[in-house]
Amino acid sequence: MKVALTDLAAQYAALAPEIDAAVHRVLASGHYINGDDVAALEREMATSHAHAIAMSSGSDALVAALWALGVQPGDEVITTPFTFFATAGAIARLGATPVFADIDPHTFNLDPAAALARVTPHTRAIIPVHLFGRPADPIATSLPILEDAAQAVGSPGLGRLAALSFFPSKNLGAAGDAGMVLTDDAELADRIRLYRSHGARPKYEHHVVGANMRMDTLQAAILRVKLPHLAAWNEQRRRNAMSYRELLATTPLTLPTDAPEHVWHQFVVRAPRRDELRTFLREREIETEVYYPKPLHQQTPFARGESFPEAERAGREVLALPVHPHLERAQLEHVAHTICSFYQRRS
């Protein structure tokens, strides 16, 4: 039985008439940049926050938010080394320095105490990541907090300033790159809107050097079709995760725990003999992924000879199992049975 890590084709098939109609409507309108659907999506996403600013990608959402916070060359921004490259890349793109702090081994998220220990007079902000959809622990500081919520779309507990990604495989995914910044700060929202369109207001009147960070109208239209289904999809992800916790309870895997407002973007276990298990599953057409095999402090642009033991250990042990909302119960059971058989044969 084949089990995909994510199934975008199944998601499209369920919504095809609505998505096709939305795409055709935009194409027929001739308004492909900053069309009505972009503004409508911003209104529909501004439920937990006063302002929702549509962006070209989750990566650009981080950059624009840091820009709006005033981050500049010579500044430091603290973040986790156990995340996708874009988190630290956004800091570096502004000429600032990513300063890493180790993770909590139980949540995989930034350890607040470790983060605060890295604060210096040059620290401008902190970026915790809601990794795998689990909200990061709060950090008691007066420094600006920019939440990387790329993997936590739909979580109701996001703070004052959060960057979202609508990459196709996310809980709410576009048909290409798209992102958003959520904030309750009107001044930050205004600056982000300015930066995302070459610093122009009105057209051809430029106040700052910004960039082209606008969301395509087509992506906004597709996201608007999907948005009403997000809560149900996230609830199904949670049910799938709880099923795994039951089905895999007797295995040697270290299973992720639930938490309030967790949206289960990924179900990531710690697995003894991880690479062997992954090969075993792949041979039986069960897709998995390693998020992330090489922490950021070991990546060439950020390698400074530092060691963060928990991030490094996670990179050796983690394995993401399929948890997307279009899984059938039989597929969940097949994944669990196959994992059980791997460890039984090798015990």
Side-chain angles (χ1 to χ4, degrees):
M1 179 186 298
K2 186 173 183 178
V3 185
L5 188 65
T6 188
D7 195 343
L8 299 180
Q11 185 180 92
Y12 167 70
L15 299 174
E18 295 172 76
I19 291 175
D20 291 352
V23 169
H24 292 154
R25 184 187 72 247
V26 172
L27 292 176
S29 76
H31 298 292
Y32 304 150
I33 302 294
N34 284 341
D36 291 343
D37 281 284
V38 175
L41 178 66
E42 290 180 332
R43 290 193 300 271
E44 291 161 4
M45 288 292 296
T47 55
S48 59
H49 294 73
H51 306 276
I53 305 100
M55 305 294 297
S56 50
S57 69
S59 300
D60 283 343
L62 287 168
V63 171
L66 288 170
W67 234 339
L69 289 171
V71 172
Q72 55 189 324
D75 289 339
E76 296 175 349
V77 178
I78 296 169
T79 193
T80 167
F82 194 63
T83 180
F84 182 59
F85 188 86
T87 309
I91 301 166
R93 282 170 62 185
L94 295 181
T97 300
V99 174
F100 299 116
D102 213 350
I103 61 171
D104 182 317
H106 303 292
T107 67
F108 300 116
N109 284 330
L110 183 65
D111 182 325
L116 291 174
R118 303 301 314 265
V119 172
T120 75
H122 301 288
T123 305
R124 186 71 181 210
I126 301 176
I127 305 182
V129 179
H130 302 309
L131 200 65
F132 310 139
R134 183 189 182 107
D137 290 332
I139 300 173
T141 179
S142 59
L143 287 164
I145 298 290
L146 166 58
E147 299 177 15
D148 183 339
Q151 300 182 15
V153 178
S155 179
L158 304 183
R160 169 175 171 264
L161 180 63
L164 308 181
S165 171
F166 301 126
F167 185 78
S169 62
K170 294 296 193 288
N171 292 33
L172 178 63
D177 282 313
M180 182 165 279
V181 178
L182 300 177
T183 184
D184 287 322
D185 188 309
E187 184 178 347
L188 282 176
D190 185 66
R191 290 205 293 268
I192 291 166
R193 291 185 188 279
L194 189 64
Y195 281 122
R196 76 170 173 180
S197 192
H198 294 291
R201 184 186 295 147
K203 190 176 182 180
Y204 303 130
E205 185 73 25
H206 300 268
H207 304 272
V208 295
V209 177
N212 178 6
M213 297 176 166
R214 300 180 297 252
M215 182 188 291
D216 293 340
T217 308
L218 276 171
Q219 301 302 343
I222 291 169
L223 288 166
R224 291 187 66 209
V225 172
K226 294 184 176 185
L227 181 57
H229 302 274
L230 177 60
W233 287 341
N234 282 348
E235 181 54 34
Q236 186 59 52
R237 286 176 178 273
R238 177 182 296 278
R239 286 195 290 268
N240 291 344
M242 296 306 102
S243 293
Y244 273 142
R245 285 186 48 78
E246 177 185 347
L247 293 166
L248 296 171
T250 61
T251 69
L253 301 176
T254 301
L255 304 177
T257 57
D258 198 7
E261 299 162 355
H262 196 327
V263 295
W264 292 100
H265 175 59
Q266 300 291 349
F267 187 91
V268 177
V269 302
R270 290 183 184 267
R273 303 197 303 278
R274 190 267 313 277
D275 295 338
E276 292 178 52
L277 172 61
R278 192 178 184 205
T279 298
F280 186 81
L281 294 172
R282 183 171 56 246
E283 290 171 347
R284 287 149 183 82
E285 297 189 295
I286 297 172
E287 293 182 0
T288 61
E289 187 55 88
V290 175
Y291 303 111
Y292 298 92
K294 191 175 184 180
L296 298 185
H297 67 284
Q298 296 178 336
Q299 301 284 348
T300 299
F302 305 129
R304 297 189 290 267
E306 296 177 297
S307 177
F308 299 100
E310 291 299 343
E312 293 160 19
R313 182 166 73 93
R316 296 190 298 269
E317 297 178 354
V318 293
L319 188 67
L321 306 180
V323 74
H324 63 83
H326 309 291
L327 289 167
E328 302 290 340
R329 174 70 185 190
Q331 291 178 303
L332 290 168
E333 292 176 349
H334 176 61
V335 173
H337 174 77
T338 306
I339 291 172
C340 290
S341 67
F342 169 82
Y343 285 113
Q344 288 167 357
R345 294 179 188 187
R346 288 159 174 77
S347 59

